[in-house]
């Protein structure tokens, strides 16, 4: 998760997340002993002021190299409204469920 003030640092925040995701994938590859056909999708959060967004990253083998794919962001909600807060909480609960049911057994 990366947070930035509203109207500031969106490019920097995305770059920081990309570096962290690449490092996370590198560590997962080490743990998998480079035997995994594919690594799991990783969700990541970006907040820009009151607005929360969800992005996904995936690493797959293309020939002899691994390629990290980053998919477009999906708006989760805005913490300036109660309905936006509920949407964010609901999304976070779904991510927790995914972590327990899909990611944890993989790891």
């Amino acid at each position: 998760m990366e947070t930035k003030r509203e109207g500031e640092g969106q490019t920097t925040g995305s770059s920081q997340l990309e570096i962290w995701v690449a490092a996370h994938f590198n560590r997962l590859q080490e743990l998998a002993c480079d035997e995994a056909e594919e690594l799991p999708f990783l969700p990541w959060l970006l907040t820009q002021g009151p607005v929360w967004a969800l992005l996904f990253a995936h690493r797959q083998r293309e020939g002899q190299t691994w390629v990290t794919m980053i998919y477009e962001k999906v708006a989760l909600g805005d913490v300036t409204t109660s309905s936006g807060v509920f949407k964010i909480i609901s999304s976070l609960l779904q991510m927790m469920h995914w972590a327990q049911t899909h990611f944890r057994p993989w790891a």
Side-chain angles (χ1 to χ4, degrees), residues 17 45 67-68 75 95 101:
L17 280 173
L45 297 171
V67 176
T68 301
M95 288 175 63
T101 60

Side-chain angles (χ1 to χ4, degrees), residues 70-81:
I70 298 175
Y71 299 95
E72 294 295 319
K73 65 183 175 183
V74 177
L76 292 184
D78 184 328
V79 296
T80 60
T81 65

Side-chain angles (χ1 to χ4, degrees), residues 2 12 19 23 27 46 48 55 68 72 75 77 91:
E2 176 64 24
T12 305
I19 291 168
R27 181 65 178 142
L46 177 63
Q48 183 76 27
L55 296 95
T68 301
E72 294 295 319
S91 298

